[in-house]
Amino acid sequence: MSREFCVNHETMRKLVVEDLGMKSYKRKNVHHLNDSIRRKRLERCIQLKARFAPGTEDQILFSDEKLFTVEEASNRQNDRILASRSQDIPDSIKYIDRVQKPLSLMVWAGVSADSRTNLIFVPQGVKINSQTYRELVLEPEIASAGEKLFQNHPWTY
């Protein structure tokens, strides 16, 4: 704005912030929801609500998995190194190594209204498909945790 109106940057800042009482805000990214998407979401919510009888919501097990990668985070804009000359910075600090496939670990967990499951750590390199997911995660954890999670209620996986 200061260039557009040929005014000093600090003068423009004082005018906007102090005199007009305005503040600069960043734009936010949000999901695009058109009418069709809104209708589909509403239909699915209604179906999900109808699927469970009143009072049975405490018998639902919510689960999720997350893949963690072991690699140093870098933000070129904010990660700065102060030095008189570039040659004075040791290579171990100056450079961040990247590999094509960093070490990773998948973690699975489940939670219900009253309880939670143990964390399941899936080792790197294990190909996850429906069979291995069932063998590594569902059968060992859900079978043992089902009684604790859903005590007197019927349950299945």
Side-chain angles (χ1 to χ4, degrees):
M1 284 175 47
S2 60
R3 272 189 244 127
E4 186 178 325
F5 292 105
C6 299
V7 178
N8 180 288
H9 172 76
E10 189 60 22
T11 304
M12 183 59 74
R13 187 195 69 76
K14 284 182 179 180
L15 177 76
V16 171
V17 174
E18 295 174 9
D19 294 345
L20 297 176
M22 299 176 103
K23 184 178 174 183
S24 174
Y25 293 95
K26 289 184 180 179
R27 297 180 71 187
K28 296 179 182 179
N29 293 327
V30 295
H31 287 283
H32 174 71
L33 297 177
N34 58 28
D35 290 337
S36 171
I37 294 172
R38 289 177 200 270
R39 276 194 305 277
K40 280 184 184 177
R41 283 189 174 189
L42 180 61
E43 288 172 19
R44 290 178 182 159
C45 288
I46 291 169
Q47 289 172 354
L48 187 61
K49 190 175 176 184
R51 184 176 172 186
F52 298 101
T56 61
E57 55 276 345
D58 60 340
Q59 299 173 28
I60 301 172
L61 175 69
F62 296 95
S63 68
D64 199 9
E65 61 274 336
K66 169 74 175 154
L67 184 67
F68 292 95
T69 57
V70 184
E71 188 171 63
E72 184 177 353
S74 168
N75 181 335
R76 289 180 50 87
Q77 183 173 349
N78 295 332
D79 291 345
R80 303 294 179 150
I81 303 166
L82 294 176
S84 300
R85 301 177 318 146
S86 175
Q87 296 84 351
D88 296 340
I89 305 169
D91 287 349
S92 62
I93 296 173
K94 187 189 285 187
Y95 303 113
I96 298 173
D97 290 336
R98 294 276 172 243
V99 293
Q100 197 163 20
K101 293 186 178 179
L103 294 174
S104 62
L105 174 72
M106 189 175 100
V107 181
W108 179 92
V111 60
S112 72
D114 301 347
S115 188
R116 64 178 186 264
T117 65
N118 295 319
L119 294 178
I120 302 284
F121 298 96
V122 179
Q124 181 175 358
V126 174
K127 180 82 172 160
I128 297 292
N129 56 31
S130 61
Q131 181 181 351
T132 55
Y133 187 79
R134 194 173 182 94
E135 291 171 1
L136 287 174
V137 176
L138 292 180
E139 288 175 356
E141 185 56 31
I142 301 299
S144 65
E147 295 299 324
K148 181 179 84 171
L149 291 171
F150 305 117
Q151 296 166 3
N152 299 323
H153 305 288
W155 61 275
T156 185
Y157 62 90

XYZ file of all heavy atoms in Angstrom, residues 53-136:
669
model
N -28.515 -47.147 17.842
C -29.674 -46.870 18.680
C -29.279 -45.902 19.783
O -28.113 -45.857 20.194
C -30.192 -48.170 19.283
N -30.235 -45.124 20.284
C -29.920 -44.202 21.385
C -29.337 -44.971 22.576
O -29.799 -46.051 22.919
C -31.268 -43.586 21.740
C -32.098 -43.745 20.512
C -31.618 -45.005 19.853
N -28.301 -44.427 23.155
C -27.665 -45.052 24.305
C -26.569 -46.046 23.958
O -25.961 -46.630 24.837
N -26.311 -46.271 22.656
C -25.258 -47.223 22.274
C -23.981 -46.532 21.825
O -23.035 -47.195 21.420
C -25.735 -48.153 21.139
O -26.062 -47.352 19.998
C -26.930 -48.970 21.563
N -23.942 -45.207 21.890
C -22.751 -44.497 21.420
C -21.514 -44.833 22.241
O -20.393 -44.706 21.762
C -22.970 -42.983 21.371
C -23.434 -42.350 22.649
C -24.937 -42.416 22.855
O -25.697 -42.701 21.932
O -25.335 -42.174 24.001
N -21.694 -45.302 23.482
C -20.539 -45.677 24.297
C -19.977 -47.040 23.895
O -18.980 -47.487 24.440
C -20.885 -45.660 25.787
C -22.007 -46.608 26.140
O -22.769 -46.988 25.222
O -22.125 -46.963 27.329
N -20.603 -47.699 22.925
C -20.124 -48.993 22.448
C -19.350 -48.870 21.139
O -19.086 -49.865 20.479
C -21.299 -49.943 22.253
C -22.054 -50.216 23.532
C -23.308 -51.014 23.270
O -23.390 -51.773 22.324
N -24.298 -50.819 24.109
N -18.969 -47.678 20.777
C -18.225 -47.451 19.530
C -16.749 -47.309 19.859
O -16.369 -46.591 20.784
C -18.727 -46.179 18.815
C -20.202 -46.303 18.490
C -17.923 -45.928 17.548
C -20.818 -45.017 17.966
N -15.931 -47.995 19.096
C -14.478 -47.866 19.222
C -13.972 -47.051 18.045
O -14.142 -47.443 16.889
C -13.796 -49.235 19.239
C -12.269 -49.196 19.258
C -11.778 -48.662 20.602
C -11.688 -50.555 18.991
N -13.385 -45.904 18.332
C -12.780 -45.077 17.294
C -11.301 -45.413 17.250
O -10.650 -45.486 18.294
C -12.973 -43.587 17.607
C -14.405 -43.158 17.596
C -15.137 -43.106 18.778
C -15.032 -42.821 16.410
C -16.463 -42.721 18.775
C -16.361 -42.421 16.399
C -17.077 -42.375 17.592
N -10.778 -45.604 16.061
C -9.355 -45.935 15.951
C -8.731 -45.144 14.814
O -9.414 -44.664 13.913
C -9.176 -47.432 15.709
O -9.662 -47.792 14.435
N -7.431 -45.013 14.899
C -6.690 -44.302 13.861
C -5.250 -44.754 13.900
O -4.772 -45.268 14.911
C -6.776 -42.793 14.074
C -6.447 -42.005 12.808
O -6.326 -42.617 11.723
O -6.302 -40.777 12.904
N -4.582 -44.565 12.794
C -3.156 -44.850 12.742
C -2.438 -43.642 12.182
O -3.017 -42.844 11.446
C -2.848 -46.105 11.922
C -3.263 -46.059 10.482
C -4.711 -46.483 10.265
O -5.277 -47.210 11.067
O -5.261 -46.012 9.262
N -1.177 -43.500 12.549
C -0.372 -42.355 12.106
C 1.009 -42.859 11.745
O 1.597 -43.658 12.464
C -0.288 -41.322 13.247
C 0.704 -40.216 13.038
C 0.231 -39.218 12.021
C 1.229 -38.062 11.943
N 1.241 -37.387 10.705
N 1.515 -42.405 10.618
C 2.861 -42.751 10.186
C 3.796 -41.628 10.605
O 3.624 -40.479 10.181
C 2.906 -42.943 8.670
C 4.242 -43.398 8.103
C 4.562 -44.812 8.580
C 4.223 -43.345 6.590
N 4.746 -41.938 11.468
C 5.733 -40.960 11.916
C 7.019 -41.184 11.143
O 7.491 -42.319 11.037
C 6.017 -41.120 13.417
C 4.856 -40.751 14.285
C 3.972 -41.718 14.737
C 4.643 -39.435 14.647
C 2.901 -41.383 15.542
C 3.570 -39.082 15.449
C 2.702 -40.065 15.895
N 7.584 -40.117 10.602
C 8.874 -40.216 9.934
C 9.939 -39.585 10.816
O 9.693 -38.567 11.467
C 8.871 -39.511 8.559
O 8.489 -38.160 8.740
C 7.918 -40.196 7.600
N 11.100 -40.212 10.833
C 12.197 -39.743 11.661
C 13.137 -38.959 10.744
O 13.990 -39.530 10.082
C 12.943 -40.918 12.329
C 14.024 -40.415 13.257
C 11.953 -41.795 13.069
N 12.909 -37.661 10.676
C 13.719 -36.807 9.815
C 13.667 -35.398 10.393
O 12.624 -34.951 10.862
C 13.153 -36.835 8.390
C 14.025 -36.141 7.385
C 13.535 -36.392 5.967
O 12.408 -35.976 5.653
O 14.278 -36.987 5.191
N 14.786 -34.723 10.368
C 14.853 -33.379 10.936
C 13.967 -32.426 10.152
O 14.000 -32.384 8.922
C 16.297 -32.879 10.916
C 16.487 -31.538 11.567
C 17.941 -31.092 11.600
O 18.813 -31.882 11.238
O 18.172 -29.944 11.983
N 13.165 -31.678 10.858
C 12.282 -30.701 10.217
C 13.087 -29.463 9.825
O 14.032 -29.081 10.511
C 11.162 -30.307 11.153
N 12.698 -28.847 8.738
C 13.407 -27.670 8.262
C 12.411 -26.652 7.726
O 11.458 -27.003 7.041
C 14.370 -28.076 7.144
O 14.861 -26.949 6.477
N 12.640 -25.389 8.064
C 11.843 -24.305 7.534
C 12.847 -23.244 7.063
O 13.412 -22.510 7.861
C 10.919 -23.738 8.610
C 10.048 -22.618 8.089
O 10.387 -21.942 7.115
N 8.924 -22.402 8.741
N 13.087 -23.174 5.758
C 14.127 -22.292 5.218
C 13.897 -20.831 5.568
O 14.834 -20.052 5.668
C 14.224 -22.462 3.703
C 14.816 -23.788 3.291
C 14.915 -23.938 1.784
N 15.540 -22.831 1.112
C 16.846 -22.681 0.916
N 17.670 -23.580 1.385
N 17.318 -21.632 0.279
N 12.657 -20.446 5.751
C 12.383 -19.049 6.056
C 12.713 -18.713 7.509
O 13.168 -17.627 7.807
C 10.915 -18.740 5.775
C 10.568 -17.280 5.994
C 9.159 -16.960 5.551
O 8.510 -17.760 4.900
N 8.678 -15.794 5.911
N 12.496 -19.650 8.433
C 12.677 -19.355 9.846
C 13.940 -19.939 10.466
O 14.377 -19.469 11.505
C 11.466 -19.857 10.647
C 10.204 -19.106 10.274
O 10.264 -17.955 9.867
N 9.080 -19.765 10.391
N 14.510 -20.995 9.887
C 15.726 -21.592 10.429
C 16.929 -20.844 9.881
O 17.333 -21.050 8.740
C 15.820 -23.078 10.055
C 14.771 -23.908 10.754
O 14.184 -23.403 11.716
O 14.561 -25.062 10.359
N 17.495 -19.987 10.688
C 18.623 -19.152 10.262
C 19.849 -19.450 11.103
O 19.745 -19.870 12.251
C 18.284 -17.662 10.395
C 17.065 -17.220 9.623
C 17.293 -17.346 8.142
N 16.114 -16.932 7.400
C 16.166 -16.399 6.208
N 17.315 -16.206 5.627
N 15.066 -16.072 5.590
N 21.016 -19.207 10.530
C 22.289 -19.374 11.219
C 23.013 -18.035 11.146
O 23.200 -17.486 10.054
C 23.146 -20.463 10.542
C 22.385 -21.785 10.489
C 24.468 -20.628 11.275
C 23.008 -22.801 9.555
N 23.414 -17.496 12.293
C 24.145 -16.239 12.304
C 25.635 -16.523 12.244
O 26.173 -17.292 13.039
C 23.820 -15.438 13.568
C 22.377 -14.946 13.690
C 22.179 -14.250 15.025
C 22.045 -14.007 12.547
N 26.309 -15.924 11.279
C 27.754 -16.091 11.121
C 28.298 -14.908 10.338
O 27.569 -14.255 9.581
C 28.072 -17.396 10.396
N 29.580 -14.625 10.522
C 30.209 -13.540 9.756
C 30.398 -13.941 8.307
O 30.213 -13.140 7.401
C 31.566 -13.185 10.365
O 31.401 -12.769 11.690
N 30.804 -15.205 8.109
C 31.020 -15.708 6.749
C 30.430 -17.111 6.639
O 30.387 -17.854 7.621
C 32.512 -15.790 6.421
C 33.239 -14.470 6.519
C 34.727 -14.598 6.257
N 35.303 -15.770 6.905
C 36.302 -16.478 6.399
N 36.858 -16.136 5.265
N 36.765 -17.531 7.029
N 29.998 -17.476 5.468
C 29.426 -18.799 5.225
C 30.433 -19.904 5.520
O 30.072 -20.979 5.992
C 28.968 -18.896 3.769
O 28.517 -20.187 3.472
N 31.730 -19.631 5.263
C 32.774 -20.636 5.474
C 32.960 -20.968 6.958
O 33.505 -22.011 7.300
C 34.117 -20.171 4.897
C 34.123 -19.986 3.399
C 33.596 -18.608 2.983
O 33.072 -17.835 3.789
N 33.712 -18.302 1.688
N 32.516 -20.090 7.861
C 32.682 -20.309 9.303
C 31.672 -21.305 9.874
O 31.830 -21.762 11.002
C 32.538 -18.982 10.062
C 33.624 -17.987 9.698
O 34.676 -18.418 9.174
O 33.410 -16.781 9.929
N 30.640 -21.639 9.098
C 29.584 -22.525 9.588
C 29.979 -23.978 9.314
O 30.255 -24.342 8.171
C 28.244 -22.226 8.900
C 27.877 -20.749 9.069
C 27.139 -23.125 9.437
C 26.716 -20.312 8.212
N 30.031 -24.825 10.349
C 30.365 -26.240 10.141
C 29.323 -26.919 9.246
O 28.131 -26.600 9.307
C 30.341 -26.851 11.541
C 30.304 -25.711 12.489
C 29.810 -24.516 11.765
N 29.756 -27.858 8.422
C 28.854 -28.556 7.513
C 27.732 -29.279 8.250
O 26.617 -29.384 7.745
C 29.620 -29.559 6.648
C 30.463 -28.859 5.586
O 30.279 -27.635 5.397
O 31.288 -29.533 4.949
N 28.027 -29.782 9.455
C 27.009 -30.513 10.212
C 25.835 -29.615 10.596
O 24.729 -30.087 10.819
C 27.620 -31.137 11.465
O 28.124 -30.121 12.313
N 26.066 -28.313 10.677
C 25.001 -27.357 10.998
C 24.431 -26.739 9.722
O 23.235 -26.501 9.610
C 25.534 -26.247 11.933
C 25.944 -26.863 13.266
C 24.509 -25.159 12.139
C 26.639 -25.893 14.192
N 25.292 -26.497 8.754
C 24.895 -25.813 7.526
C 23.926 -26.631 6.674
O 23.023 -26.084 6.052
C 26.140 -25.492 6.694
C 25.857 -24.626 5.474
C 27.059 -24.507 4.554
C 28.095 -23.584 5.107
N 29.189 -23.322 4.152
N 24.102 -27.947 6.657
C 23.306 -28.797 5.775
C 22.390 -29.720 6.567
O 22.759 -30.222 7.622
C 24.214 -29.650 4.887
C 25.159 -28.822 4.056
C 26.526 -28.865 4.278
C 24.682 -27.976 3.059
C 27.397 -28.098 3.532
C 25.540 -27.205 2.307
C 26.903 -27.275 2.545
O 27.745 -26.503 1.801
N 21.197 -29.950 6.040
C 20.253 -30.908 6.603
C 20.141 -32.048 5.605
O 19.711 -31.848 4.470
C 18.876 -30.273 6.852
C 18.989 -29.151 7.867
C 17.876 -31.319 7.310
C 17.719 -28.364 8.055
N 20.561 -33.242 6.026
C 20.535 -34.401 5.137
C 19.104 -34.861 4.901
O 18.289 -34.909 5.815
C 21.337 -35.562 5.739
C 22.831 -35.288 5.747
O 23.280 -34.464 4.919
O 23.537 -35.876 6.578
N 18.828 -35.204 3.671
C 17.537 -35.767 3.287
C 17.799 -37.116 2.636
O 18.758 -37.277 1.894
C 16.812 -34.877 2.274
C 16.413 -33.543 2.825
C 15.084 -33.691 3.566
N 14.768 -32.467 4.255
C 14.666 -32.359 5.556
N 14.850 -33.392 6.317
N 14.358 -31.228 6.119
N 16.929 -38.073 2.897
C 17.008 -39.358 2.230
C 15.685 -39.601 1.523
O 14.663 -39.018 1.879
C 17.309 -40.513 3.224
C 18.698 -40.384 3.797
C 16.288 -40.567 4.328
N 15.735 -40.480 0.526
C 14.525 -40.699 -0.260
C 13.431 -41.383 0.554
O 12.261 -41.052 0.444
C 14.858 -41.539 -1.488
C 13.781 -41.475 -2.538
C 14.282 -41.943 -3.877
O 15.273 -42.644 -3.949
N 13.606 -41.548 -4.935
N 13.810 -42.352 1.394
C 12.836 -43.031 2.251
C 13.319 -42.954 3.690
O 14.070 -43.808 4.153
C 12.668 -44.486 1.816
C 12.020 -44.627 0.456
C 11.750 -46.057 0.120
C 11.068 -46.138 -1.232
N 10.800 -47.519 -1.615
N 12.899 -41.935 4.436
C 13.357 -41.806 5.818
C 12.780 -42.913 6.702
O 11.769 -43.533 6.365
C 12.815 -40.440 6.250
C 11.666 -40.186 5.351
C 11.978 -40.881 4.056
N 13.429 -43.159 7.829
C 12.927 -44.135 8.787
C 11.526 -43.728 9.214
O 11.236 -42.545 9.384
C 13.835 -44.201 10.014
C 15.234 -44.737 9.796
C 16.052 -44.606 11.077
C 15.187 -46.183 9.354
N 10.665 -44.715 9.377
C 9.290 -44.398 9.750
C 8.746 -45.466 10.685
O 9.274 -46.568 10.771
C 8.406 -44.276 8.513
O 8.374 -45.499 7.824
N 7.676 -45.119 11.369
C 7.025 -46.010 12.312
C 5.543 -45.712 12.298
O 5.141 -44.554 12.406
C 7.591 -45.780 13.721
C 6.932 -46.538 14.859
C 7.302 -48.017 14.776
C 7.378 -45.967 16.187
N 4.725 -46.751 12.149
C 3.284 -46.561 12.183
C 2.780 -46.915 13.581
O 3.162 -47.940 14.145
C 2.574 -47.431 11.157
C 1.100 -47.083 11.035
S 0.263 -47.988 9.738
C -0.537 -49.241 10.707
N 1.932 -46.046 14.125
C 1.357 -46.260 15.457
C -0.159 -46.288 15.319
O -0.742 -45.452 14.631
C 1.781 -45.139 16.430
C 1.203 -45.379 17.805
C 3.296 -45.030 16.500
N -0.788 -47.277 15.964
C -2.243 -47.421 15.941
C -2.769 -47.310 17.357
O -2.138 -47.789 18.310
C -2.626 -48.779 15.362
C -4.104 -49.027 15.328
C -4.945 -48.765 14.297
C -4.907 -49.599 16.371
N -6.229 -49.123 14.626
C -6.236 -49.647 15.900
C -4.651 -50.052 17.648
C -7.282 -50.133 16.660
C -5.701 -50.539 18.412
C -7.003 -50.587 17.917
N -3.929 -46.681 17.522
C -4.570 -46.585 18.839
C -6.074 -46.525 18.651
O -6.576 -46.108 17.606
C -4.094 -45.347 19.580
N -6.789 -46.951 19.687
C -8.239 -46.913 19.675
C -8.744 -46.325 20.978
O -8.098 -46.442 22.017
N -9.923 -45.699 20.915
C -10.510 -45.092 22.102
C -12.031 -45.242 22.032
O -12.623 -45.164 20.959
C -10.095 -43.607 22.234
C -10.539 -42.800 21.046
C -10.612 -42.999 23.513
N -12.627 -45.517 23.182
C -14.080 -45.573 23.281
C -14.505 -44.548 24.319
O -13.669 -43.818 24.860
C -14.548 -46.975 23.683
O -14.231 -47.231 25.034
N -15.789 -44.508 24.641
C -16.288 -43.530 25.603
C -15.669 -43.725 26.977
O -15.421 -42.757 27.692
C -17.805 -43.623 25.703
N -15.386 -44.981 27.357
C -14.912 -45.264 28.708
C -13.453 -45.668 28.806
O -12.909 -45.736 29.902
C -15.737 -46.415 29.321
C -17.214 -46.098 29.382
O -17.568 -44.926 29.187
O -18.011 -47.015 29.594
N -12.834 -46.012 27.699
C -11.506 -46.609 27.793
C -10.683 -46.338 26.537
O -11.146 -45.677 25.618
C -11.669 -48.120 28.003
O -10.430 -48.705 28.270
N -9.494 -46.896 26.531
C -8.615 -46.785 25.359
C -7.832 -48.080 25.205
O -7.652 -48.830 26.158
C -7.679 -45.597 25.492
C -6.720 -45.722 26.650
C -5.782 -44.529 26.705
N -4.785 -44.723 27.723
C -4.855 -44.250 28.952
N -5.890 -43.542 29.321
N -3.903 -44.497 29.814
N -7.352 -48.318 24.002
C -6.553 -49.513 23.747
C -5.085 -49.206 24.017
O -4.704 -48.051 24.231
C -6.691 -49.965 22.282
O -6.136 -48.950 21.440
C -8.129 -50.234 21.906
N -4.283 -50.242 23.976
C -2.841 -50.045 24.030
C -2.377 -49.515 22.677
O -3.048 -49.716 21.663
C -2.129 -51.373 24.316
C -2.475 -51.908 25.685
O -2.553 -51.160 26.655
N -2.693 -53.211 25.767
N -1.225 -48.867 22.659
C -0.650 -48.429 21.393
C -0.042 -49.641 20.697
O 0.602 -50.465 21.330
C 0.436 -47.376 21.621
C -0.019 -46.039 22.188
C 1.185 -45.131 22.407
C -1.012 -45.360 21.268
N -0.247 -49.731 19.400
C 0.338 -50.794 18.597
C 1.363 -50.146 17.681
O 1.048 -49.205 16.951
C -0.728 -51.508 17.732
C -1.828 -52.086 18.584
C -0.092 -52.553 16.843
C -1.479 -53.341 19.315
N 2.600 -50.627 17.730
C 3.667 -50.106 16.892
C 3.916 -51.097 15.761
O 4.288 -52.244 16.006
C 4.948 -49.901 17.710
C 4.778 -48.888 18.808
C 4.473 -49.282 20.099
C 4.909 -47.537 18.539
C 4.296 -48.354 21.107
C 4.739 -46.599 19.541
C 4.437 -47.014 20.826
N 3.706 -50.649 14.535
C 3.916 -51.497 13.367
C 5.301 -51.181 12.821
O 5.595 -50.034 12.474
C 2.836 -51.238 12.287
C 3.075 -52.106 11.075
C 1.456 -51.474 12.873
N 6.183 -52.177 12.746
C 7.558 -51.925 12.318
C 7.653 -51.419 10.877
O 6.775 -51.677 10.056
C 8.246 -53.287 12.437
C 7.262 -54.217 13.020
C 5.932 -53.563 13.045
N 8.760 -50.736 10.611
C 8.989 -50.226 9.261
C 9.175 -51.393 8.301
O 9.731 -52.425 8.654
C 10.235 -49.340 9.220
C 10.492 -48.769 7.836
C 11.651 -47.791 7.818
O 12.241 -47.518 8.835
N 11.970 -47.284 6.662
N 8.688 -51.220 7.106
C 8.859 -52.233 6.072
C 7.729 -53.239 6.011
O 7.666 -54.031 5.081
N 6.824 -53.238 6.992
C 5.694 -54.161 6.961
C 4.652 -53.609 6.001
O 4.208 -52.481 6.147
C 5.090 -54.356 8.374
C 3.825 -55.194 8.296
C 6.096 -54.983 9.300
N 4.317 -54.397 5.001
C 3.316 -53.991 4.017
C 1.938 -54.170 4.646
O 1.553 -55.262 5.030
C 3.457 -54.849 2.763
C 2.494 -54.523 1.676
C 2.963 -53.355 0.872
C 2.046 -53.208 -0.334
N 2.122 -51.908 -0.880
N 1.187 -53.068 4.786
C -0.120 -53.120 5.429
C -1.203 -53.321 4.371
O -1.393 -52.494 3.494
C -0.404 -51.825 6.220
C 0.593 -51.655 7.350
C -1.820 -51.824 6.756
C 0.475 -52.662 8.452
N -1.859 -54.459 4.462
C -3.057 -54.711 3.681
C -4.114 -55.212 4.658
O -3.877 -55.248 5.863
C -2.788 -55.708 2.537
C -2.217 -57.017 3.050
O -2.508 -57.445 4.164
N -1.395 -57.661 2.230
N -5.264 -55.611 4.176
C -6.335 -55.998 5.095
C -5.940 -57.184 5.969
O -6.271 -57.230 7.151
C -7.617 -56.293 4.328
O -7.413 -57.369 3.433
N -5.195 -58.137 5.414
C -4.815 -59.326 6.181
C -3.801 -58.977 7.281
O -3.982 -59.360 8.434
C -4.240 -60.396 5.260
C -3.854 -61.664 6.002
C -3.273 -62.715 5.080
O -3.300 -62.572 3.866
N -2.752 -63.771 5.664
N -2.741 -58.241 6.939
C -1.753 -57.888 7.966
C -2.341 -56.925 8.984
O -2.002 -56.996 10.162
C -0.473 -57.271 7.348
O -0.835 -56.156 6.543
C 0.296 -58.272 6.538
N -3.227 -56.047 8.556
C -3.880 -55.127 9.496
C -4.685 -55.928 10.513
O -4.644 -55.673 11.709
C -4.782 -54.158 8.728
C -5.379 -53.064 9.574
C -4.625 -51.957 9.935
C -6.692 -53.138 10.015
C -5.168 -50.946 10.714
C -7.241 -52.135 10.786
C -6.476 -51.046 11.136
O -7.011 -50.053 11.907
N -5.390 -56.926 10.023
C -6.196 -57.774 10.909
C -5.298 -58.575 11.856
O -5.574 -58.677 13.051
C -7.057 -58.696 10.060
C -8.144 -59.377 10.805
C -9.045 -60.133 9.807
N -10.122 -60.765 10.514
C -11.310 -60.231 10.696
N -11.575 -59.055 10.179
N -12.239 -60.857 11.368
N -4.191 -59.133 11.335
C -3.297 -59.978 12.136
C -2.461 -59.176 13.126
O -2.249 -59.607 14.253
C -2.374 -60.786 11.224
C -3.084 -61.858 10.437
C -2.199 -62.505 9.390
O -0.999 -62.131 9.286
O -2.705 -63.383 8.662
N -1.945 -58.005 12.699
C -1.049 -57.229 13.553
C -1.780 -56.302 14.521
O -1.285 -56.019 15.603
C -0.090 -56.383 12.708
C 1.023 -57.113 11.996
C 1.787 -56.152 11.100
C 1.963 -57.762 12.991
